[in-house]
């Protein structure tokens, strides 16, 4: 194709734009295409099969919903449309809902149709507020819109950002914004698990209860064109309604499509011919419609005037379309509609299955989340236990290190103690050996002492006999002295005690004239000699008894094994040195080394001297041991 042909082709094309609430498409079509061709192209592009509800609406820039907004006729060519528009005005059509339904759940079969109806209702109720809704209903409708567009409520995101998008301006006033936001949050949280299509259908059902649902309003005049303040005509899927100027909610007259027999328009005048007996749904009040005309052949005629001839034609086409759909819904379904219903049932079954599957997946995910939460909690607990175990391990390691150090110290201390104990053991062995030697010495000493004890016992018996003989001799000597004194008393009757004692001693010495020692002595010498003998005997007996006591104690200590032989020898050496001077002083003639045992027949003086010498000999002998 050459450039000239392309330019010619481009000149023979019209660029049009078709928009919905969520999509825009552009086409290049021929100028001879009709409105039906463009509408079919849009329906194919948007996937719409229920085409009888929609239409292409054109709004001139800067115009309102009056004469500046109209629907594209199916039989009208685009070239005619272009010629009727101002120069430079683009062809921009809006794919909108033209005819509304009586029951959303029954009449809307396909998802694409439901979606476009949802977008239309959302724009009319929540955005432009053309349909009045109560303040309590607006948060619920906004919650369904949020569920359909965003899915389940996310606590992390919240819904504060939805206030400006979904709620109208009247709900965003400072005194009502907080309450609306709280209600929106509560409703949105309660809709968790609802699917997109189900949420859109529920929103349409709630909107269907509004008084202004599906109504298209036109200003009309009852008594002629521009004769008085206009009232309102409302066209819906149920029929036509007449409203006062001040209220668009409650009609004062309503005519159902089943009560209307004929409709016509001529210029600005529009005429409705109703049946004679209206149905119960047609009467909105008991007032007769006198302001809308009088009797007509075959029924009651209702006439009024519109704002323009174009409005009259739009009202007529809108009434005809709604009447046809009203009658079609009350007739058996066509093959195409039956197929759509079957498809709708399949879609509903699929959505139900998907919803059940989604519910199972959600439940499974929730269970998995719970398990994961439990696992994370358990992991956290295990982590804490691990941290505690690691801390305990570190503490135990520190304790083990301290125990090892302490063990090393104890081992060193044990080694030192073992060395010390070995040293002590060696000392004990040496002491044991020395004690064994000393024990042998003590045994020999005990043996010697036992032998000496036997000798000492014999000597002691002999000394006892000598002492007994000495005492007996003393008694006999005293007796002899007394007899001598009695004999001397004959010579002198009045003498002193000393003279009589001397005489008694002299008599005794004379009676004992047999011995050589006393034969040549005088009486005074004899008495002195006797006193010296007596004193010597007394001293020797006392020393002998002391020696016996010391000897007895030493022998007993030697038998018990607790005495030291050296100490025994020292004590024995000290005893003779103390006893010897007195004996020597008493009798200078005493022999210190005499070992002879006295005889019982010796004289008292000789016996006393031998007793003292024997004790000294015994002490000297023990000291030598």
């Amino acid at each position: 194709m050459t450039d000239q042909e392309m330019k010619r082709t481009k000149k023979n094309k019209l660029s049009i734009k078709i928009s919905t609430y969520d999509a825009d498409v552009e086409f290049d079509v021929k100028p001879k295409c009709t409105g039906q061709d463009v509408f079919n192209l849009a329906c194919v592009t948007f996937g719409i099969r229920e085409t009888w509800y929609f239409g292409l609406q054109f709004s001139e820039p800067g115009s309102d919903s009056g004469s500046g907004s109209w629907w594209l006729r199916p039989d009208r060519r685009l070239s005619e449309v272009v010629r009727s528009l101002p120069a430079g005005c683009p062809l921009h059509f809006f794919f909108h809902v033209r005819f509304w339904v009586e029951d959303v759940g029954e009449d809307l079969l396909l998802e694409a149709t439901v979606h476009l109806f949802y977008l239309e209702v959302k724009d009319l109720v929540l955005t432009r507020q053309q349909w009045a809704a109560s303040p309590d209903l607006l948060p619920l409708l906004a919650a369904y819109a949020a569920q359909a567009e965003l899915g389940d409520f996310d606590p992390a995101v919240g819904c504060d950002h939805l206030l400006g998008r979904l709620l109208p301006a009247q709900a965003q006033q400072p005194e009502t914004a907080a309450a609306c936001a709280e209600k929106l949050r509560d409703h949105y949280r309660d809709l968790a698990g609802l699917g997109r299509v189900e949420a859109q259908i529920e929103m349409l059902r709630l909107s269907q209860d509004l008084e202004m649902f599906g109504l298209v309003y036109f200003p009309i005049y009852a008594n002629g064109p521009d004769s008085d303040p206009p009232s309102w005509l409302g066209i819906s899927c149920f029929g036509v309604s007449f409203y006062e100027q001040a209220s668009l909610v409650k009609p004062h007259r309503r005519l159902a499509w089943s009560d209307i027999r004929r409709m016509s328009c001529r210029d600005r005048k529009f005429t409705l011919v109703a049946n004679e007996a209206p149905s119960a749904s047609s009467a909105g009040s008991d007032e007769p419609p006198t302001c809308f005309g009088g009797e007509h052949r075959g029924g009651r005629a209702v006439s009024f005037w519109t704002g323009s001839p174009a409005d009259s034609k739009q009202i007529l086409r809108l009434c005809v379309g709604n009447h046809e759909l009203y009658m079609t819904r009350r007739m058996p379904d066509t093959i195409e509609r039956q197929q759509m219903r079957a498809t709708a049932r399949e879609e509903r079954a699929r959505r139900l299955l998907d919803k059940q599957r989604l519910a199972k997946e959600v439940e499974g995910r929730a269970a998995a989340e719970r398990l994961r939460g439990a696992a994370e909690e358990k992991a956290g607990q295990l982590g804490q236990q691990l941290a505690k175990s690691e801390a305990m391990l570190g503490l135990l390691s520190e304790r083990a290190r301290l125990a090892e150090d302490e063990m090393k110290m104890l081992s060193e201390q044990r080694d030192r103690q073992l060395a010390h104990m070995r040293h002590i053991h060696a000392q004990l062995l040496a002491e044991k050996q020395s004690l064994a030697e000393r024990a042998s010495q003590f045994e020999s000493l005990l043996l010697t002492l036992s032998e000496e004890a036997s000798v000492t016992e014999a000597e002691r018996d002999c000394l006892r006999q000598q002492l007994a003989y000495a005492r007996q001799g003393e008694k006999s000597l005293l007796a002899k002295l007394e007899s001598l004194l009695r004999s001397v008393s004959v010579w002198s009757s009045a003498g002193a005690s000393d003279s009589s004692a001397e005489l008694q001693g002299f008599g005794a010495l004379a009676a004992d004239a047999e011995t050589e020692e006393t034969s040549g002595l005088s009486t005074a010498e004899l008495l002195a000699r006797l006193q010296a003998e007596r004193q010597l005997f007394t001293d020797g007996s006392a020393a002998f008894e002391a020696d016996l006591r010391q000897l007895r104690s030493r022998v007993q200590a030697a038998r018990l094994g607790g005495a030291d032989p050296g100490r025994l020898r020292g004590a024995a050496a000290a005893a003779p040195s103390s006893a010897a001077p007195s004996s020597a002083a008493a009798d200078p003639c005493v022999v210190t080394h005499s070992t002879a045992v006295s005889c019982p027949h010796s004289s008292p003086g000789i016996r006393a001297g031998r007793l003292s010498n024997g004790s000294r000999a015994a002490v000297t002998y023990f000291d030598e041991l």
Side-chain angles (χ1 to χ4, degrees):
M1 182 180 293
T2 62
D3 295 340
Q4 188 176 4
E5 292 177 350
M6 291 180 64
K7 291 180 180 179
R8 188 183 303 113
T9 304
K10 189 174 182 180
K11 289 181 180 179
N12 296 328
K13 295 286 186 180
L14 289 176
S15 178
I16 63 173
K17 182 178 180 181
I18 302 176
S19 300
T20 62
Y21 285 102
D22 59 352
D24 295 322
V25 292
E26 293 183 359
F27 302 100
D28 291 334
V29 296
K30 296 179 180 181
K32 63 179 181 180
C33 290
T34 61
Q36 185 65 41
D37 296 333
V38 177
F39 179 75
N40 292 336
L41 182 61
C43 290
V44 171
T45 303
F46 296 128
I48 302 300
R49 294 179 61 186
E50 297 175 285
T51 59
W52 45 85
Y53 297 123
F54 303 95
L56 292 176
Q57 189 178 29
F58 181 83
S59 296
E60 296 180 2
S63 63
D64 53 6
S65 60
S67 60
S69 178
W70 41 268
W71 297 94
L72 181 62
R73 286 164 46 187
D75 56 346
R76 191 175 182 183
R77 292 179 182 271
L78 290 181
S79 57
E80 298 177 1
V81 174
V82 172
R83 285 194 297 267
S84 63
L85 293 177
C89 182
L91 291 177
H92 189 186
F93 299 97
F94 294 92
F95 194 85
H96 284 177
V97 176
R98 188 176 184 182
F99 304 104
W100 296 87
V101 295
E102 298 179 10
D103 189 356
V104 175
E106 291 293 331
D107 297 335
L108 299 182
L109 302 178
L110 302 181
E111 291 185 10
T113 308
V114 172
H115 180 63
L116 290 179
F117 267 79
Y118 159 75
L119 294 177
E120 193 83 22
V121 171
K122 175 186 172 186
D123 179 68
L124 293 173
V125 177
L126 298 179
T127 304
R128 292 187 291 171
Q129 306 179 43
Q130 292 187 4
W131 294 352
S134 63
D136 295 334
L137 186 60
L138 287 175
L140 183 57
L141 295 175
Y144 276 108
Q147 182 69 23
E149 296 179 6
L150 303 177
D152 292 341
F153 175 74
D154 188 1
V157 177
C159 61
D160 294 337
H161 63 287
L162 301 177
L163 297 177
R165 287 180 51 190
L166 300 178
L167 288 177
Q170 64 178 4
Q172 300 181 27
Q173 299 298 326
E175 60 273 6
T176 59
C180 289
E182 186 66 26
K183 291 180 181 180
L184 174 60
R185 186 182 298 108
D186 295 339
H187 292 314
Y188 190 15
R189 188 183 296 110
D190 295 338
L191 296 179
L194 191 64
R196 181 180 62 87
V197 179
E198 287 78 5
Q200 293 176 355
I201 293 176
E202 290 299 326
M203 180 182 176
L204 292 175
R205 284 177 177 172
L206 288 175
S207 302
Q208 192 175 359
D209 296 333
L210 298 175
E211 294 291 338
M212 302 176 66
F213 179 79
L215 283 170
V216 181
Y217 295 95
F218 293 92
I220 60 174
Y221 301 90
N223 299 323
D226 303 328
S227 60
D228 50 5
S231 58
W232 295 96
L233 172 69
I235 303 174
S236 67
C237 58
F238 297 99
V240 293
S241 301
F242 299 93
Y243 298 88
E244 296 291 341
Q245 183 184 10
S247 176
L248 295 177
V249 176
K250 187 175 180 58
H252 65 82
R253 182 66 178 176
R254 181 180 297 166
L255 292 176
W257 297 120
S258 59
D259 298 331
I260 298 175
R261 297 180 59 183
R262 190 168 60 89
M263 295 172 291
S264 63
C265 67
R266 185 176 181 179
D267 198 11
R268 295 174 61 182
K269 185 178 181 179
F270 196 93
T271 303
L272 294 175
V273 179
N275 295 327
E276 289 291 339
S279 61
S281 61
S282 298
S285 64
D286 297 334
E287 298 179 1
T290 57
C291 60
F292 292 103
E295 297 293 333
H296 192 275
R297 187 179 61 182
R300 295 178 299 114
V302 179
S303 300
F304 54 87
W305 283 262
T306 63
S308 65
D311 288 348
S312 299
K313 293 179 181 180
Q314 286 196 49
I315 292 173
L316 180 60
R317 296 189 189 99
L318 194 59
C319 290
V320 170
N322 279 293
H323 186 270
E324 289 178 356
L325 289 177
Y326 180 84
M327 301 305 295
T328 302
R329 281 192 290 267
R330 283 152 181 80
M331 295 173 61
D333 292 337
T334 60
I335 300 298
E336 183 182 7
R337 192 164 180 81
Q338 291 178 6
Q339 292 176 354
M340 290 181 184
R341 287 191 180 277
T343 305
R345 285 193 297 268
E346 293 176 359
E347 289 293 329
R348 290 192 184 96
R350 182 184 61 80
R351 287 198 302 268
L352 181 60
L353 184 61
D354 292 341
K355 185 177 179 180
Q356 294 176 354
R357 187 183 297 110
L358 180 62
K360 290 182 180 179
E361 291 179 359
V362 169
E363 183 65 26
R365 183 173 295 180
E369 289 292 333
R370 289 193 297 270
L371 291 176
R372 187 182 69 177
E376 289 178 355
E377 184 179 0
K378 188 174 182 180
Q381 294 177 359
L382 292 177
Q384 294 178 358
Q385 292 179 2
L386 181 61
K388 291 182 181 178
S389 300
E390 290 178 354
M392 185 63 68
L393 181 60
L395 182 60
L396 291 177
S397 301
E398 185 67 19
R399 289 184 179 179
R401 187 182 63 79
L402 295 176
E404 185 177 357
D405 295 341
E406 186 177 2
M407 187 175 294
K408 288 182 180 179
M409 295 175 59
L410 292 176
S411 178
E412 294 176 358
Q413 186 177 4
R414 184 195 61 186
D415 294 339
R416 291 195 299 269
Q417 289 180 357
L418 285 177
H420 183 64
M421 290 178 67
R422 291 191 186 97
H423 179 67
I424 294 176
H425 183 65
Q427 291 181 354
L428 289 177
L429 289 178
E431 290 183 2
K432 182 179 180 182
Q433 186 176 0
S434 63
L435 288 176
E437 294 176 357
R438 292 175 65 182
S440 61
Q441 292 178 3
F442 275 116
E443 288 179 357
S444 61
L445 179 61
L446 286 175
L447 181 60
T448 304
L449 289 175
S450 60
E451 293 177 356
E452 291 180 357
S454 61
V455 174
T456 306
E457 186 69 26
E459 186 178 359
R460 185 178 62 183
D461 294 339
C462 183
L463 289 176
R464 286 177 180 174
Q465 293 178 3
Q466 291 180 3
L467 181 60
Y469 288 143
R471 290 177 177 175
Q472 186 178 2
E474 183 180 4
K475 290 179 180 181
S476 62
L477 183 58
L478 292 174
K480 289 179 180 182
L481 183 57
E482 291 176 357
S483 61
L484 180 59
L485 291 175
R486 283 192 301 269
S487 60
V488 173
S489 63
V490 179
W491 297 335
S492 180
S493 56
S497 59
D498 294 335
S499 301
S500 60
E502 293 178 356
L503 291 175
Q504 289 177 1
F506 181 78
L509 291 175
D512 199 12
E514 297 134 4
T515 61
E516 296 180 4
E517 298 175 359
T518 59
S519 57
L521 298 175
S522 61
T523 304
E525 293 177 352
L526 183 58
L527 289 174
R529 186 70 177 272
L530 286 175
Q531 290 177 358
E533 287 284 343
R534 186 176 180 179
Q535 185 66 32
L536 180 64
F537 178 76
T538 303
D539 296 339
S541 297
F544 179 72
E545 289 179 359
D547 292 340
L548 284 179
R549 285 193 300 271
Q550 291 180 3
L551 182 62
R552 190 179 295 111
S553 62
R554 291 170 190 158
V555 170
Q556 186 176 1
R559 287 178 181 178
L560 293 177
D564 191 358
R567 294 177 60 186
L568 293 176
R569 284 193 297 269
S577 63
S578 62
S582 63
S583 299
D587 190 3
C589 299
V590 174
V591 181
T592 58
H593 295 286
S594 176
T595 58
V597 179
S598 63
C599 174
H601 302 285
S602 299
S603 63
I606 296 173
R607 287 194 297 271
R610 291 177 178 175
L611 179 61
S612 177
N613 293 333
S615 64
R616 291 190 184 92
V619 172
T620 304
Y621 180 77
F622 187 81
D623 185 46
E624 290 176 356
L625 290 177

